[in-house]
């Protein structure tokens, strides 16, 4: 691919995002940044959420992971779809009817101020490190594929990326995100669809013969009933439900988009529609992964040792300039749709929960913009820090460890919804801190402690259960807080 062509296309893409940001904020007001005035069409939110859910890491990981775990990931996706139904029927009515801007305000209503701040704190840490990690991996791919060739250093690539995100989100916030995520989802799906077409053409497959080849391949194995395996079907399914409820239903990033819909009915319709689109999109990624390995085997191509490198390696070296260009656009879109919504959600959570900003107060706009800038700089710092560490195992371990912080959120919300107990608030933060630490230790030594049992994603359920039991221990039986669910 021509360096000038890639630069032109990427710049055109970034300018398109900025243009969308400008158009969507012509009649901006203070509340629009946080809630989009609760006027977003449900179908736009549903489609755009695909891009947010499929981060740059997912974009390159799912196809490559097919070579390791085959199609067992599908059982996790099916669990995700059930989780979205739970969100639609349980959490959306709870949050929407209370007209929440930050979903952690509910914890304050239910348990008190420390619970609200604890929930928001865990979200901010998780989102900041998680979004930075995803951006770090994607920028690494772009750096190797393009920016190194024109002499742009890594830190400058990160800085430019965040600056572009800041420019088109600083005024419109979630209002702009709903539209830009829709655009970015289009590019992601075009990238995957085009690659499938190119591989099928190289293999002389039509759609039906491609499906037949995938079915005949051992890569299409879906079920794993070894109870000790991390890909066990039952564990994957249950973990899929829990992951969705936590990473979507109890996550400000994802729920903020849902709560911009015009009515509760639209919120539910959005969630049901999104779950179907999510399933179809992940099946496309799994199909692509199987076809990539079938193609490599037939052509005698030696693939990289890391599964995450398989999709980028083949796209940039074997599928031609057009496919390679759309791969870069797809991964850029996936990265941006994840980072822009994370940055907006971080700003919202800190402004509402810690600074207690009134969303409709235009006089507090400077505070919100200042918070937006600070989180932008923090994200740049964390991404560059990952680069300086230069140790992929340490960085991956840190990312996985941060994932444990969703366990306390699961425990807090579940306890609040299923009991009427109040808790002794001074102990609540300690319970929320200890549950992920204990879960992490148990996960590290589970094979020795549990007769060969190896945790997979279901460690999140264990983490949430520990938090729930801890809250039960510190319950205040003499006080029951009555709230309107």
């Amino acid at each position: 691919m021509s360096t000038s062509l890639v630069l032109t296309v990427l710049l055109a893409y970034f300018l398109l995002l900025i243009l969308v940001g400008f158009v969507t904020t012509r009649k901006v007001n203070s509340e629009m940044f946080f809630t989009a005035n609760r006027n977003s069409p449900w179908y736009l939110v549903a489609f755009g959420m695909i891009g947010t859910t499929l981060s740059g890491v997912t974009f390159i990981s799912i196809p490559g992971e097919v070579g390791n775990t085959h199609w067992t990931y599908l059982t996790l996706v099916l669990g995700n779809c059930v989780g979205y139904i739970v969100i639609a029927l349980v959490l959306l009515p709870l949050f929407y009817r209370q007209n929440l801007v930050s979903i952690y305000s509910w914890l304050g209503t239910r348990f008190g101020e420390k619970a609200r701040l604890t929930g928001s704190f865990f979200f901010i840490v998780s989102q900041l490190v998680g979004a930075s990690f995803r951006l770090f991996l994607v920028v690494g791919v772009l750096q190797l594929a393009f920016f190194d060739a024109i002499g742009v250093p890594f830190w400058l690539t990160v800085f430019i990326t965040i600056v572009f995100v800041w420019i088109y989100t600083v005024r419109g916030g979630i209002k702009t995100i709903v539209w830009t995520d829709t655009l970015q989802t289009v590019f992601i799906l075009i990238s995957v669809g085009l690659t499938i077409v190119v591989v099928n053409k190289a293999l002389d497959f039509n759609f039906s013969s491609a499906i037949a080849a995938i079915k005949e391949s051992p890569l299409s194995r879906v079920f794993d009933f070894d109870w000790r395996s991390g890909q066990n079907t039952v564990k994957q399914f249950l973990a899929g439900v829990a992951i969705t409820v936590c990473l979507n239903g109890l996550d400000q990033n994802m729920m903020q988009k849902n709560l911009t819909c015009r009515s509760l009915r639209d919120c539910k319709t959005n969630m049901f529609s999104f779950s179907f689109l999510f399933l179809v999109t992940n099946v496309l990624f799994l199909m692509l992964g199987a076809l990539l390995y079938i193609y490599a085997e037939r052509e005698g191509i030696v693939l990289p040792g890391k599964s995450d490198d398989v999709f980028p390696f083949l796209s940039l070296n074997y599928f031609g300039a057009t496919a390679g260009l759309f791969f870069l656009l797809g991964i850029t879109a996936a990265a941006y749709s994840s980072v822009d919504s994370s940055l907006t959600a971080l700003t919202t959570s800190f402004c509402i929960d810690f600074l207690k900003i009134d969303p409709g107060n235009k006089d507090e706009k400077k505070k919100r913009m200042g918070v937006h800038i600070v989180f932008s700089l923090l994200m740049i710092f964390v991404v560059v820090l990952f680069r300086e560490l230069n140790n992929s195992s340490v960085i991956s371990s840190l990312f996985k460890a941060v994932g444990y912080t969703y366990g306390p959120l699961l425990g807090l919300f579940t306890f609040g919804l299923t009991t009427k107990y109040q808790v002794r608030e001074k102990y609540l933060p300690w319970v929320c801190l200890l549950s992920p630490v204990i879960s992490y230790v148990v996960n590290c030594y589970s094979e020795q402690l549990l007769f060969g049992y190896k945790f997979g994603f279901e460690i999140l359920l264990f983490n949430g259960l520990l938090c729930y039991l801890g809250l039960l221990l510190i319950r205040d039986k003499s006080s029951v807080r009555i709230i309107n669910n």
Side-chain angles (χ1 to χ4, degrees):
M1 285 183 290
S2 165
T3 301
S4 59
L5 175 62
V6 174
L7 180 60
T8 301
V9 171
L10 289 178
L11 282 176
Y13 175 73
F14 296 148
L15 291 175
L16 180 60
L17 292 178
I18 292 173
L19 176 62
V20 171
F22 173 77
V23 171
T24 56
T25 56
R26 285 181 296 178
K27 297 180 180 179
V28 68
N29 57 45
S30 298
E31 191 172 356
M32 187 180 289
F33 183 94
F34 300 105
T35 67
N37 293 333
R38 300 195 188 276
N39 197 35
S40 300
W42 66 264
Y43 47 86
L44 208 64
V45 177
F47 188 74
M49 281 173 60
I50 295 295
T52 306
T53 306
L54 297 172
S55 68
V57 179
T58 308
F59 184 84
I60 59 178
S61 291
I62 294 178
E65 187 62 22
V66 170
N68 297 326
T69 58
H70 307 155
W71 271 40
T72 56
Y73 181 75
L74 183 61
T75 57
L76 182 76
V77 174
L78 293 172
N80 293 154
C81 293
V82 173
Y84 292 127
I85 295 173
V86 173
I87 292 172
L89 298 179
V90 178
L91 295 178
L92 280 176
L94 176 69
F95 298 147
Y96 197 89
R97 286 170 181 157
Q98 293 195 18
N99 201 32
L100 298 181
V101 177
S102 167
I103 63 173
Y104 308 111
S105 299
W106 183 83
L107 292 175
T109 303
R110 178 65 178 85
F111 295 115
E113 184 69 6
K114 285 187 178 180
R116 181 169 68 89
L117 295 178
T118 299
S120 185
F121 169 78
F122 275 115
F123 163 74
I124 288 172
V125 171
S126 303
Q127 198 68 205
L128 179 61
V129 177
S132 299
F133 176 79
R134 291 188 289 270
L135 181 61
F136 164 73
L137 291 183
V138 173
V139 170
V141 173
L142 294 175
Q143 192 73 23
L144 291 172
F146 172 66
F147 288 105
D148 278 343
I150 61 174
V152 176
F154 181 84
W155 71 267
L156 184 56
T157 304
V158 176
F159 180 80
I160 293 171
T161 298
I162 297 297
V163 166
F164 274 120
V165 172
W166 186 86
I167 289 172
Y168 72 79
T169 60
V170 66
R171 293 185 73 229
I174 196 65
K175 168 75 173 179
T176 299
I177 297 302
V178 168
W179 287 91
T180 55
D181 280 1
T182 300
L183 176 67
Q184 291 173 136
T185 299
V186 170
F187 281 102
I188 292 171
L189 296 179
I190 288 176
S191 176
V192 175
L194 180 62
T195 307
I196 290 175
V197 170
V198 169
V199 177
N200 280 343
K201 185 176 180 181
L203 292 170
D204 198 25
F205 284 164
N206 55 33
F207 183 77
S208 59
S209 58
I211 297 296
I214 292 172
K215 283 184 177 181
E216 293 171 4
S217 169
L219 295 170
S220 63
R221 179 178 63 89
V222 174
F223 301 107
D224 182 346
F225 294 107
D226 181 358
W227 69 276
R228 292 168 296 187
S229 170
Q231 284 75 47
N232 175 270
T233 297
V234 177
K235 291 195 295 183
Q236 287 263 93
F237 180 82
L238 294 176
V241 177
I243 287 172
T244 295
V245 172
C246 288
L247 273 64
N248 288 270
L250 306 182
D251 183 283
Q252 177 67 25
N253 184 2
M254 298 300 293
M255 289 304 289
Q256 190 169 359
K257 296 182 183 66
N258 287 286
L259 297 175
T260 65
C261 290
R262 294 166 178 165
S263 66
L264 178 56
R265 180 179 179 180
D266 278 4
C267 282
K268 291 181 177 180
T269 304
N270 156 62
M271 188 56 68
F272 290 135
S273 302
F274 166 68
S275 64
F276 173 74
L277 292 171
F278 177 79
L279 175 61
V280 172
T281 303
N282 276 279
V283 169
L284 284 176
F285 272 95
L286 291 169
M287 286 179 60
L288 173 61
L291 289 171
L292 290 177
Y293 281 98
I294 291 171
Y295 171 81
E297 183 179 4
R298 185 170 298 187
E299 297 296 318
I301 299 171
V302 178
L303 294 174
K306 289 178 61 179
S307 61
D308 284 354
D309 294 336
V310 170
F311 187 16
F313 174 75
L314 292 175
S315 292
L316 297 174
N317 294 289
Y318 289 92
F319 296 154
T322 302
L325 189 62
F326 271 96
F327 167 78
L328 289 178
L329 277 174
I331 196 172
T332 302
Y336 267 59
S337 61
S338 176
V339 171
D340 57 16
S341 59
S342 293
L343 188 56
T344 301
L346 286 166
T347 301
T348 299
S349 185
F350 191 84
C351 285
I352 301 299
D353 294 320
F354 285 88
L355 300 184
K356 299 182 180 178
I357 285 177
D358 178 3
N361 189 346
K362 62 181 180 180
D363 295 332
E364 295 188 307
K365 180 180 177 181
K366 288 184 179 180
K367 285 185 182 180
R368 186 254 296 167
M369 292 183 71
V371 172
H372 205 59
I373 291 173
V374 169
F375 276 114
S376 299
L377 294 175
L378 279 173
M379 199 171 288
I380 293 171
F381 172 77
V382 175
V383 174
V384 174
L385 178 63
F386 284 161
R387 176 79 166 192
E388 293 301 314
L389 286 174
N390 197 29
N391 187 323
S392 59
S393 61
V394 170
I395 297 169
S396 296
S397 297
L398 177 62
F399 177 62
K400 291 176 182 177
V402 168
Y404 283 83
T405 56
Y406 282 98
L409 292 176
L410 178 61
L412 278 169
F413 277 94
T414 304
F415 188 84
L417 288 168
T418 60
T419 77
K420 293 184 178 180
Y421 288 119
Q422 181 57 284
V423 298
R424 285 171 283 180
E425 199 175 353
K426 64 180 180 179
Y427 298 118
L428 185 145
W430 293 105
V431 169
C432 292
L433 285 171
L434 283 173
S435 61
V437 172
I438 295 172
S439 299
Y440 185 76
V441 173
V442 170
N443 185 42
C444 290
Y445 298 98
S446 64
E447 292 183 82
Q448 296 95 313
L449 297 173
L450 303 174
F451 310 102
Y453 183 87
K454 186 176 181 180
F455 276 103
F457 293 115
E458 78 279 4
I459 189 66
L460 181 60
L461 289 170
F462 179 74
N463 190 351
L465 177 62
L466 284 181
C467 183
Y468 187 97
L469 294 175
L471 294 172
L472 199 61
L473 288 174
I474 63 168
R475 70 189 185 277
D476 185 353
K477 297 180 182 180
S478 64
S479 173
V480 176
R481 179 162 299 191
I482 301 175
I483 63 170
N484 180 18
N485 285 347

